[in-house]
Amino acid sequence: MSRVTVDGLFMEYDRTPILERISLEVASGTFCAIVGASGCGKSTFLRLLLSQERPTRGVIRIDGDEIAPEPTPDRGIVFQRYSVFPHLTVCGNLTLAAELKRSRLVGRLFGAARRREKDAISDTLRKIGLWDARNRYPAQLSGGMQQRLAIAQALVMKPKVLLLDEPFGALDPGIRADMHDILLTLWRETRMTVFMVTHDIKEAFKLGNRVLVFDKVRHDPQHPAAYGATITYDLLLDRNRRKAPDAADRSGPDLAGSVH
Ligand SMILES: Nc1ncnc2c1ncn2[C@@H]1O[C@H](COP(=O)(O)OP(=O)(O)OP(=O)(O)O)[C@@H](O)[C@H]1O
Ligand SMILES: [Mg+2]
């Protein structure tokens, strides 16, 4: 279970409103794609979900409990680039991620538990197609492989909620399509709740079963920074139609949520 509830969220930086009046109920296992103009606060929203920032007002809950005030292993994040440790091999990166999670929870593992953890890492490496590259360093990997490693690193922590900030933005279109398949397979297997920011509207409709559009609804021509962005469209997509190979071929989505 990983139901996410956002209640009356406001965020300001130096008294400049960035996000305002964001309230949201996301069912466990939803894949939320987030789109919106550059600078409207999408990454800020993910940082709030991660507790990298504290909101000016409002509460975020996972399964009814307010999120911890600092990042915890229940929430994993993948950025567009540079979220792996360059001085560790592929395997080393995953082992460290597992160790970080463990040290927070139960301390050191020995014997059978440690073997189970190694097996879990090997399994993740195979699933994400990095088994043969397990002893390489990030600089020796292609961009697509580095992003797969970043996703694997987040998954090893077994988060309830996975946050992805333009994870494929720097990749070639062909590699992106492969990454979509891998991500969808992992999402179905793990039943995680996902929030993914993308600038690619086709990608949003291909991957998400819910698409959130962030935009400003209030404008003051004299003070362009007077108001923050909110969720202007909340589109719940039909699960069966989600499997369509090309979102652009589909008829319009169901408008299940609010249009403010
Ligand atoms: N730490 C900070 N201090 C002050 N202002 C910030 C900070 N972080 C972000 N901002 C401002 O908040 C606004 C939203 O930034 P954010 O990075 O969330 O936008 P975004 O929607 O992710 O943009 P992009 O699509 O370009 O990635 C921007 O105006 C940005 O300048
Ligand atoms: Mg951003």
Side-chain angles (χ1 to χ4, degrees):
M1 280 287 288
S2 43
R3 179 169 46 88
V4 177
T5 317
V6 178
D7 197 6
L9 201 71
F10 283 72
M11 183 63 184
E12 293 176 1
Y13 283 121
D14 308 324
R15 304 183 129 202
T16 301
I18 305 296
L19 297 171
E20 59 181 41
R21 294 174 296 118
I22 294 187
S23 292
L24 196 61
E25 186 76 44
V26 176
S28 182
T30 304
F31 195 129
C32 276
I34 298 173
V35 294
S38 187
C40 74
K42 305 178 296 297
S43 297
T44 301
F45 182 61
L46 290 195
R47 286 198 296 275
L48 292 168
L49 288 171
L50 183 67
S51 300
Q52 217 172 39
E53 305 271 5
R54 298 285 290 157
T56 311
R57 258 197 277 165
V59 180
I60 301 172
R61 295 187 180 86
I62 297 180
D63 294 333
D65 296 326
E66 194 169 337
I67 54 173
E70 74 281 350
T72 43
D74 55 347
R75 291 154 288 159
I77 190 153
V78 176
F79 300 102
Q80 189 174 25
R81 281 182 192 184
Y82 309 129
S83 53
V84 297
F85 298 106
H87 58 289
L88 291 176
T89 62
V90 165
C91 209
N93 264 285
L94 295 196
T95 306
L96 178 64
E99 272 170 10
L100 286 176
K101 171 164 184 165
R102 190 187 338 117
S103 65
R104 278 173 174 275
L105 299 177
V106 288
R108 297 205 64 168
L109 282 188
F110 298 98
R114 195 172 180 86
R115 271 197 303 282
R116 268 202 303 280
E117 187 178 275
K118 281 186 95 171
D119 289 346
I121 289 175
S122 303
D123 188 44
T124 304
L125 282 171
R126 286 198 177 88
K127 267 189 198 140
I128 208 135
L130 287 177
W131 176 251
D132 291 338
R134 64 190 178 283
N135 295 320
R136 289 204 223 156
Y137 288 88
Q140 300 169 309
L141 304 176
S142 70
M145 290 163 97
Q146 287 197 25
Q147 281 312 79
R148 274 187 273 154
L149 174 58
I151 292 171
Q153 199 184 41
L155 291 178
V156 161
M157 314 281 273
K158 295 208 168 33
K160 290 178 170 182
V161 178
L162 181 64
L163 308 169
L164 303 164
D165 197 352
E166 300 186 51
F168 312 135
L171 303 179
D172 292 339
I175 295 170
R176 267 192 202 208
D178 293 344
M179 300 292 288
H180 293 162
D181 293 344
I182 290 172
L183 183 59
L184 282 179
T185 306
L186 290 168
W187 171 60
R188 289 193 190 106
E189 274 179 24
T190 57
R191 308 175 73 86
M192 281 175 303
T193 305
V194 177
F195 290 86
M196 186 189 75
V197 171
T198 177
H199 273 122
D200 181 345
I201 195 93
K202 259 177 98 172
E203 185 173 81
F205 281 94
K206 179 179 174 188
L207 298 180
N209 57 4
R210 187 165 174 183
V211 176
L212 306 175
V213 181
F214 280 56
D215 200 0
K216 288 188 185 189
V217 280
R218 300 195 289 169
H219 294 274
D220 180 344
Q222 308 302 324
H223 305 281
Y227 300 109
T230 191
I231 296 173
T232 50
Y233 288 90
D234 182 349
L235 310 170
L236 204 55
L237 307 182
D238 185 321
R239 277 184 182 276
N240 297 323
R241 288 195 304 167
R242 259 202 80 262
K243 288 183 184 141
D246 186 345
D249 296 340
R250 299 168 14 168
S251 55
D254 300 330
L255 196 61
S258 44
V259 180
H260 300 275

